Every structure is written in C-alpha cells, then in structure tokens.
Amino acid sequence: MTSTPRRRGADRTEAIMRTTVELGQEIGYAKLSIEAIANRAGVGKHTIYRRWSSKGALLLDSLLSLDDPDLDFSYTDDVLADLREQAYAAVELLARPPVGPLVQALIAEAQHDPRVAAEFKERFITPMAGKLVKRLKAAQEEGHLSPDFDLDLAMAICSGPLYFQFLITQEPITREYVNDVFGALFAGMSPRPAATR
Amino acid sequence: MTSTPRRRGADRTEAIMRTTVELGQEIGYAKLSIEAIANRAGVGKHTIYRRWSSKGALLLDSLLSLDDPDLDFSYTDDVLADLREQAYAAVELLARPPVGPLVQALIAEAQHDPRVAAEFKERFITPMAGKLVKRLKAAQEEGHLSPDFDLDLAMAICSGPLYFQFLITQEPITREYVNDVFGALFAGMSPRPAATR
Amino acid sequence: MTSTPRRRGADRTEAIMRTTVELGQEIGYAKLSIEAIANRAGVGKHTIYRRWSSKGALLLDSLLSLDDPDLDFSYTDDVLADLREQAYAAVELLARPPVGPLVQALIAEAQHDPRVAAEFKERFITPMAGKLVKRLKAAQEEGHLSPDFDLDLAMAICSGPLYFQFLITQEPITREYVNDVFGALFAGMSPRPAATR
Amino acid sequence: MTSTPRRRGADRTEAIMRTTVELGQEIGYAKLSIEAIANRAGVGKHTIYRRWSSKGALLLDSLLSLDDPDLDFSYTDDVLADLREQAYAAVELLARPPVGPLVQALIAEAQHDPRVAAEFKERFITPMAGKLVKRLKAAQEEGHLSPDFDLDLAMAICSGPLYFQFLITQEPITREYVNDVFGALFAGMSPRPAATR
DNA sequence: AAGTAACCGAGACGGTACGTCACGTCTTTGA
DNA sequence: TCAAAGACGTGACGTACCGTCTCGGTTACTT
C-alpha cells in the first residue's frame, strides 16, 4: 500500500512538464518563459525554480518525461538493415513535435550552458550511443563489421551526418538520406579494391 | 577631391561588428545585448537595428568580417591527407575564440530563427562545402575516390562527425580524432574483403 | 510687380502650419511630433527647426494663421449686451476645432515654456484684452460702468471665469453660463442696497 | 506579533511620491521621466506603472500627499475679509514650490488627458470649491451676500481671475491683486446706484 | 551663361525615454 | 508547512522622437 507519500509534489512536477511541452508547441520552446509556464500550469514560479535550476534543465526533464517509444535495435543478421531501421525510427521522432523542436531547443541551450550540455549528453545522447555501440559490438563479433574499428568513433560517424542534417542544413531527413549515409559509411569512400583490380 | 566619401556609415558598421566580437569574447555571445553593444560602440541602438534585423544577423556578419584565413584545400596526390590537413585548420579555428564561440552561438540562434539558419547555411556552410566538393570531385576524377559517390553526401559525412563533436559532445577535436574519422570514412565500416576471404 | 521674392519659403511655411493644424486635429496637438509634421508636409525636419524654435512657437503661429473672424465688439448703448455678444463669439470659437484644442495645447505648453507663455500672451491674449479694455473704457466714459474701476482688473474678471471653465472644469461654456457670469459681475455679489433698504 | 505588516507597499508608494516632488523641483515637473523617478527612488519602473496609470496621476497623488495646511475659511462677520484671507493663503501656496509648479504641471497635463482633468477637478478643485460654497452659503444666510446668487457661479467668479493670473499672465498674484478682485466682485461693475442718482 | 551660394528633402546619427517583458528573489496569505 | 500569487529591483527589449548633422540635388541670384 503506497501511502501517497509526497504525492502532491509529483503531481505538480508532471503538470509543469506537461505544460512546458504544451506551451512550447504553441509558442516555440525558445520563447518559453518560466513566468508563462507557471501561469498556465497554475503554479507559483517558486515551485518551478525549486525543481529546476534553469530552463534547459526543465526542457530536458520534459523531453525525457515524454512517452518514450524506447526504441531499441533489432539483432538480425543484417547490421546495416538494423541500423537503418533504428535510424528511421529515431529520425521520425525528431522529425515532428514535440520531440524534434524540444531536442533542437535543448541543443541550442547546450551551446551556452555547459550544465545543460553535460546533462543532455549524459541522459539523452549516451543512452542512445550505448545501444548503438552494443549493437555494433555484436556485429563486430559476428564479423559483419570491420574488426579494427573503434566503436565510439563508429557512433560519431553514424550520428554525425544525421545531426548535421538536423541542426545545420535543417532539411528533412528522409529514409533515402539515411540509406545513403549508412550505405556510404559501410562501403567507405575509397575506390573499391575489387573495382580497381 | 572628396576624401572619405560616404564613409561614415561603413565606419560605424565595422565598429559595431568589432565591438560585437570584442564584447562577445568578454561576456559570451549568448549574453550579448544590443543595448550593451550600442553602448560600448558609442552608437545609438537604432543604428544597429537599422543594419541588422536580429542578433543572429549581426553575429553572422561579425563572424564573416573576421580576418578570414581563407583556407583552401591542397591538391596533392593524397586526398585523404589533403582533407585531413584542411580539417586540422578548420578545427583549429573552431577550437578557440573568437570564431569557435561565435559559430556555436550562431548555430544556437539558427535553432530558433529560420532566417539565421538560412543565412548561416548560405554564407558559412555552403562556401565551405563548395570547396570540399570541388576537392572531392578532383579526387574522384583521378580515381582516388569511389566513383559512385554523391558528393553532397560526402560533405555531410565528412562534416557531420566533426560538428557532432563540436556541438554535442563538446570535447576538443584533436588531430587524432580527425585522423580517425577520415580514416574510417575512407575505409568503410564493412569488414575488409581481404578479411572475408 | 512683386517678383516672387523668396516665394518658396513662404509656401513652405504655410504648408507646415496647415499640416500642423490638420495633423493636430487628427491625432491631438499634444501628440504632434515635428517628425510627423515634416513627414506629412513633405518637408525636411530642418526646414521646420529653421523657422520655429519649439513646438509651442509652431502651434502659436499655426493658430494665428487660421482665418481669424477678427471678432470685435459692438458699441451699442448696452455694454453688458455687447460684452455678452462678444463672449458668445469667442466661446464659440474655443468650443470647437481647430481653435479650441489648439489654444488648450498652447496654454498647456505655456505652463512649462516661459517663451511660449510670453509670446502667447503678447500675440493672443493682449490683443483680445486690448479690445475689451477699449470697449470698457468707452462704457466708462458713457457712465455705463463704475468709474473707479481698473480696466485691466475688469479684463481679468471678465476673462477669468471663462478660462476657468475652459481649462479647469472643462465643461461646455453655454450662453447661459456667459449670461450668468456677466450678470453677476455687473451686479456684484453684495446684497443689493435697494433690496436691503 | 508581526510588525510592519503590509508595510512594504505603502513605503514605496510614499518614497516614489516624495522623489517625484523632489526631482520635480530640481529639473521641473514637465521634464520628469518615469525612468528618472524610478532610478532616484531606487525602484523598478514597473513598481510605478503598477500604481499610476500616467504621469499625471502620479503628479496628482504627489501633490495631494504633501503636507496639506488644510486651509479653511474663517467665519467672521466680514465675508469679504474671510474670502480675502483664504485667498491669501491659497495664493501663497501656489506662489512657490513645490505646490505651485506642481499644480501648473497638473493643469497642463489636464489639457490633454481627460482622466487627469477629471481626477484633478474631483480631488483638488471640488474640495476647495466645497469650502468656498459653504462659506458663501453661510454669508448668504446672514444677508452678507446677494441672496439670488448661484453659488457654483460665485465659485467660478472668485477662482477664475486668480487662475487667469496664475496660468495665463503668469504674473505673481499679490495681496493687492486679491483685494482688487474681491473688491470688484462684491461691488459689481455697474455704476453705483448712488452715483446714478 | 556659368558660377555660387542658399535652401531643401531625406534621413542617418547619438541620445533619452517610452511602456513591456521576463528574470530570479522576496513577501504575504490562504489551505 | 507549503504553495499560489504576485510584488519587487534589474536589465533588456524594440520603438518613437528629440535636435543635430551630413548628403546630394535643385533653385534663384550674382557676376
């Protein structure tokens, strides 16, 4: 029997995060003000400041509070296909509200708030990277991946081009783009030895 | 003989951009206020608003007004080496003030201002990409690069991992990291045909 | 034959004053800005500053440039009636645009600009007072007015209550009000000797 | 036992009004800016805007917050003397800072802000008028005043000439002037009946 | 007729103030 | 005891005008 210990608090916390996402979708996460969130959530400003040290921290918690499809990799014989599949899912999430704009806003925050950067990396990037690295390791063990490949590097190489498209060119990340990227990464840019010969 | 013809305007424009960089280095580009820049530059706020429509626009112009080392690729026999060399230089610029923080701030701005995003892409990213693509095309023609390779894709693959490190993990981009990335990109992640045999 | 000497200037001067009145009626004389007048009149700001030293000066000239009904007193046997008649006319002018609001604005300006106060008194009040004093003097000579009456004082006593209504209570100055004021001024506030006796 | 309960607010209100008067005396009430008052009073601009809707409203409250000598009429046998006495006192107040310039500024404001005009009339003019009317009524009952005299009119007639001098001619209002005005008002402008006979 | 001076529109410029917004801290008050 | 409500000092926003100052481009008078 749970004696509703400290129940009110949790309620409020959730309400605030829910409002954050809601309001963020309406007016944009960049224009969010603590003041507006407090107002909309029917909560004192203090109640927010008590829980989060910065807008970035609130955004991060709000992001992570969203129903996480908890995407994980398939482990078929075809690593490339598995990676693609996974990327499709990730990209689809990032492609639309609320996750996409939220991540964008968080990365923006991270550029001038090292604490947000650290937390974001730890709680958002690293878990994703972990899964990827695990999947790659399995592939490597099965010989589907070049054995002398640093897996953290692989992680950066796989994620980088997607984030580049997301943050810099800001064009939609299509399945074709994903296919191309992974295709290229696996094939390498060198002229094919076979072709040369 | 009229000296300094229509000089006043340009003078101020430069003074403002100089002050922007200066003050940005002192207090951080994110905390820059138009008010403070105007004050420091001894200029009315209007004089800034007349020239730039947003902080982002001012930051971009200020960035581009910096003495551009105008880095361009070498065209030796070794594409890989040339790319690396170029990346070293770029990374070195990004590694320290004023360019690094300015670019960081600009990318942050670009996340919630599409106009900044577009201008940044057009005036900062695209020129760089152009040089890279040109270099890659030359390589391709000489058979140093897989011939069936979309060059824009190559651009994303080469830049992505570096920007990922710059924006997301925010760890210093060492020469080793650059070497690893380009090495991996050229080799590809697939197990070597030799190994397969 | 007038060889249009310095003609352009006069044109502009008039255009500016016309615009002043026009724009003042639209947005209120208090909110008038030199900038807006210049714009509307199609004239550089300098051209205004060259002619008038302050907004008050411009307002005063604009007021005096209006077609002046050039009201003057009748000289019948009945001073009281003549004064009333004159007051009706004056009050009617003050009652509606553009004169009323303009005078109001000028008096407002005069409260914090001694130069405006002086000019306004000299060019607006004094001429009116002159006529009144002259009319009163005639009356005095004909025995229609208490002979031991300082005429400047009489002027103040006649005008004061009207301006009081105009500036302070800001209620419409009806003919009845005018009648009452002059009636009372002539009769005096003392109990009538005749009535007492 | 809670001391200073709900005290903060009132403190600030007073501080702001005090500063308003102070600063107004130094630089003139017309040149007062909310910004400067806030600065000098060590208060945020909002704290002022929260309390007063316009500069006029603040000026009015500041005026009324001044130590009011709370002048009231004597009730001797001599109405004329009582009125004079009262007028001396009033005029003396208006003759010098801070009251004089404040009232002047308020009347100026009232010329383009109907809300200020209304409040000023209600809270400054009407109370004074009330006392005067009351005094006049007493006089009337005692037969010291013409019985068929509208008292509101009497108010206008008594105040008008003084305000005329105050606002329009802007010359000092001497005791002599007061004497003359009231003398004339009581005697009336008509030739004396005795003189007629 | 050409030269020259004055004047003009346009509007940039350094300022000052506006009235608003949000920050993060702090009281106060009601449940 | 805790939270809502929101007052508070601070600082920046973007705008409006101030009065001064170029800037070219006419006029219209002089020589």
Side-chain angles (χ1 to χ4, degrees):
Chain A
M1 192 213 296
T2 64
S3 57
T4 56
R6 196 95 318 249
R7 194 58 245 262
R8 311 296 312 288
D11 274 2
R12 269 177 247 267
T13 302
E14 269 170 40
I16 293 166
M17 295 190 303
R18 209 177 318 120
T19 303
T20 299
V21 173
E22 224 173 272
L23 203 53
Q25 288 191 249
E26 288 174 29
I27 64 172
Y29 294 93
K31 290 191 206 95
L32 271 188
S33 70
I34 301 287
E35 206 124 16
I37 296 171
N39 235 322
R40 171 80 82 98
V43 131
K45 286 200 280 178
H46 241 18
T47 306
I48 297 183
Y49 284 113
R50 204 177 293 123
R51 279 153 228 257
W52 293 279
S53 61
S54 70
K55 195 172 105 177
L58 170 54
L59 286 182
L60 182 55
D61 274 1
S62 300
L63 169 63
L64 296 176
S65 80
L66 292 174
D67 293 332
D68 198 346
D70 210 17
L71 9 103
D72 205 350
F73 286 82
S74 307
Y75 281 77
T76 70
D77 264 3
D78 191 345
V79 219
L80 181 48
D82 286 358
L83 290 180
R84 281 204 284 240
E85 212 61 49
Q86 175 73 356
Y88 294 160
V91 152
E92 204 158 304
L93 260 186
L94 285 183
R96 72 177 118 273
V99 173
L102 243 173
V103 171
Q104 234 183 327
L106 265 162
I107 293 179
E109 283 288 315
Q111 300 316 306
H112 40 256
D113 186 341
R115 297 198 314 279
V116 171
E119 278 250 311
F120 178 69
K121 206 172 68 172
E122 182 188 329
R123 297 175 56 198
F124 187 83
I125 298 295
T126 303
M128 293 218 165
K131 288 182 200 164
L132 174 58
V133 166
K134 184 165 149 252
R135 179 68 191 81
L136 290 175
K137 177 166 280 170
Q140 216 168 31
E141 281 161 3
E142 292 169 17
H144 297 137
L145 205 70
S146 175
D148 54 344
F149 218 102
D150 179 66
L151 294 180
D152 284 331
L153 180 65
M155 150 75 191
I157 282 172
C158 292
S159 307
L162 302 182
Y163 279 99
F164 185 78
Q165 187 90 339
F166 183 57
L167 301 172
I168 312 286
T169 70
Q170 297 191 3
E171 275 154 22
I173 312 181
T174 60
R175 295 203 160 204
E176 200 195 348
Y177 182 78
V178 170
N179 291 345
D180 288 354
V181 165
F182 282 104
L185 291 179
F186 269 78
M189 291 166 69
S190 287
R192 309 245 105 193
T196 309
R197 199 177 308 169
Chain B
M1 186 214 303
T2 65
S3 58
T4 58
R6 191 102 293 258
R7 195 67 201 122
R8 319 293 313 292
D11 274 2
R12 273 169 242 263
T13 302
E14 270 170 42
I16 293 166
M17 295 190 303
R18 209 176 320 119
T19 304
T20 299
V21 173
E22 220 175 275
L23 201 53
Q25 286 189 251
E26 287 174 29
I27 66 173
Y29 294 93
K31 287 193 209 94
L32 271 189
S33 71
I34 300 287
E35 203 128 21
I37 296 171
N39 243 327
R40 171 79 80 97
V43 132
K45 282 201 280 179
H46 224 38
T47 303
I48 298 183
Y49 284 117
R50 206 179 288 126
R51 281 151 222 264
W52 294 278
S53 61
S54 68
K55 198 173 103 177
L58 169 55
L59 287 182
L60 181 54
D61 274 2
S62 300
L63 169 62
L64 296 176
S65 78
L66 293 173
D67 291 334
D68 199 347
D70 209 19
L71 12 98
D72 204 352
F73 287 83
S74 307
Y75 281 77
T76 70
D77 264 3
D78 190 346
V79 218
L80 182 47
D82 288 356
L83 291 181
R84 281 202 288 239
E85 211 61 46
Q86 173 77 352
Y88 294 160
V91 150
E92 204 158 304
L93 261 185
L94 284 182
R96 73 176 120 271
V99 173
L102 244 174
V103 170
Q104 231 183 332
L106 265 163
I107 293 178
E109 282 289 314
Q111 301 315 307
H112 38 257
D113 187 340
R115 294 197 316 277
V116 171
E119 279 252 310
F120 177 70
K121 208 173 65 173
E122 183 189 326
R123 298 175 56 198
F124 188 82
I125 299 295
T126 302
M128 294 219 163
K131 289 183 200 162
L132 174 57
V133 166
K134 185 167 147 248
R135 179 67 192 86
L136 291 176
K137 178 166 281 169
Q140 220 168 26
E141 283 163 2
E142 292 168 17
H144 298 137
L145 205 70
S146 175
D148 54 343
F149 219 101
D150 180 67
L151 294 180
D152 286 328
L153 180 65
M155 157 73 191
I157 284 173
C158 291
S159 307
L162 302 182
Y163 280 99
F164 185 79
Q165 188 89 341
F166 182 57
L167 302 172
I168 312 286
T169 70
Q170 297 189 3
E171 275 155 21
I173 312 182
T174 60
R175 296 204 160 203
E176 198 194 350
Y177 183 77
V178 170
N179 291 345
D180 287 353
V181 165
F182 282 103
L185 290 180
F186 269 76
M189 292 165 68
S190 285
R192 305 246 114 187
T196 311
R197 191 182 315 162
Chain C
M1 190 213 295
T2 63
S3 57
T4 55
R6 198 99 312 261
R7 193 60 249 260
R8 312 296 313 290
D11 275 2
R12 269 174 249 268
T13 302
E14 269 170 42
I16 293 166
M17 295 190 303
R18 207 176 321 118
T19 303
T20 299
V21 173
E22 220 174 275
L23 201 53
Q25 288 190 248
E26 288 174 31
I27 65 171
Y29 295 93
K31 289 191 208 95
L32 272 188
S33 69
I34 300 288
E35 204 125 17
I37 296 171
N39 233 321
R40 171 80 82 100
V43 133
K45 286 201 280 177
H46 240 20
T47 305
I48 298 183
Y49 283 115
R50 206 178 290 126
R51 279 150 224 259
W52 293 280
S53 62
S54 70
K55 195 173 106 177
L58 170 55
L59 286 182
L60 182 54
D61 274 1
S62 300
L63 169 62
L64 296 175
S65 79
L66 292 174
D67 292 332
D68 199 344
D70 209 18
L71 9 101
D72 204 352
F73 287 82
S74 307
Y75 280 79
T76 71
D77 265 3
D78 190 346
V79 220
L80 182 48
D82 288 357
L83 291 180
R84 281 205 285 241
E85 212 61 47
Q86 174 75 356
Y88 295 159
V91 151
E92 205 158 303
L93 260 185
L94 285 182
R96 70 176 120 273
V99 173
L102 243 174
V103 171
Q104 234 181 328
L106 266 162
I107 295 179
E109 281 289 314
Q111 300 316 306
H112 40 255
D113 186 341
R115 295 198 316 276
V116 171
E119 279 252 311
F120 178 70
K121 207 172 65 172
E122 182 189 327
R123 300 175 55 197
F124 187 83
I125 297 296
T126 302
M128 292 217 165
K131 290 182 201 165
L132 174 57
V133 166
K134 182 166 149 250
R135 180 66 193 83
L136 291 175
K137 177 167 282 171
Q140 218 168 28
E141 282 163 3
E142 291 168 19
H144 297 138
L145 205 69
S146 176
D148 54 343
F149 219 102
D150 178 66
L151 294 180
D152 285 331
L153 180 64
M155 150 76 192
I157 283 171
C158 290
S159 307
L162 302 182
Y163 279 99
F164 185 78
Q165 188 90 341
F166 182 58
L167 302 171
I168 313 288
T169 70
Q170 298 190 0
E171 275 155 23
I173 312 181
T174 62
R175 297 201 157 203
E176 201 194 350
Y177 182 77
V178 170
N179 291 345
D180 288 355
V181 165
F182 283 103
L185 291 179
F186 270 78
M189 293 166 68
S190 287
R192 309 242 106 193
T196 312
R197 197 173 311 165
Chain D
M1 188 212 306
T2 66
S3 57
T4 61
R6 189 96 299 252
R7 197 64 203 124
R8 317 295 316 292
D11 274 2
R12 272 170 242 262
T13 301
E14 271 170 40
I16 292 166
M17 295 190 303
R18 209 178 317 119
T19 303
T20 298
V21 173
E22 221 174 274
L23 202 53
Q25 289 191 246
E26 289 174 28
I27 65 172
Y29 294 93
K31 289 193 209 93
L32 271 187
S33 72
I34 300 287
E35 203 127 20
I37 297 171
N39 240 326
R40 171 81 80 99
V43 132
K45 282 200 283 180
H46 226 38
T47 303
I48 298 183
Y49 284 116
R50 205 180 289 124
R51 279 151 224 262
W52 293 280
S53 59
S54 68
K55 198 173 106 177
L58 169 55
L59 287 181
L60 182 54
D61 275 2
S62 300
L63 169 62
L64 297 174
S65 79
L66 294 174
D67 291 334
D68 198 347
D70 210 18
L71 12 99
D72 205 350
F73 287 83
S74 307
Y75 280 78
T76 70
D77 264 2
D78 190 346
V79 218
L80 183 47
D82 288 357
L83 291 180
R84 283 204 285 242
E85 213 59 51
Q86 174 75 357
Y88 295 159
V91 152
E92 203 158 305
L93 261 183
L94 284 183
R96 72 175 121 275
V99 172
L102 243 174
V103 170
Q104 230 181 333
L106 264 163
I107 294 178
E109 282 289 316
Q111 302 314 308
H112 39 254
D113 187 340
R115 297 197 316 277
V116 171
E119 279 251 311
F120 178 70
K121 206 174 66 172
E122 183 188 328
R123 299 175 55 197
F124 188 81
I125 298 296
T126 302
M128 294 219 163
K131 288 183 200 162
L132 174 58
V133 166
K134 185 166 148 247
R135 180 65 192 85
L136 291 176
K137 180 165 278 170
Q140 219 168 27
E141 282 163 4
E142 291 167 19
H144 298 138
L145 204 70
S146 175
D148 54 343
F149 218 102
D150 180 66
L151 295 180
D152 286 329
L153 181 64
M155 157 71 191
I157 283 172
C158 292
S159 308
L162 303 181
Y163 279 99
F164 185 79
Q165 188 90 341
F166 182 58
L167 302 172
I168 312 285
T169 70
Q170 298 191 4
E171 276 154 22
I173 312 180
T174 60
R175 295 204 162 205
E176 199 193 351
Y177 183 77
V178 169
N179 291 345
D180 288 353
V181 165
F182 282 104
L185 290 180
F186 269 77
M189 291 166 67
S190 285
R192 306 245 112 193
T196 310
R197 194 181 311 165

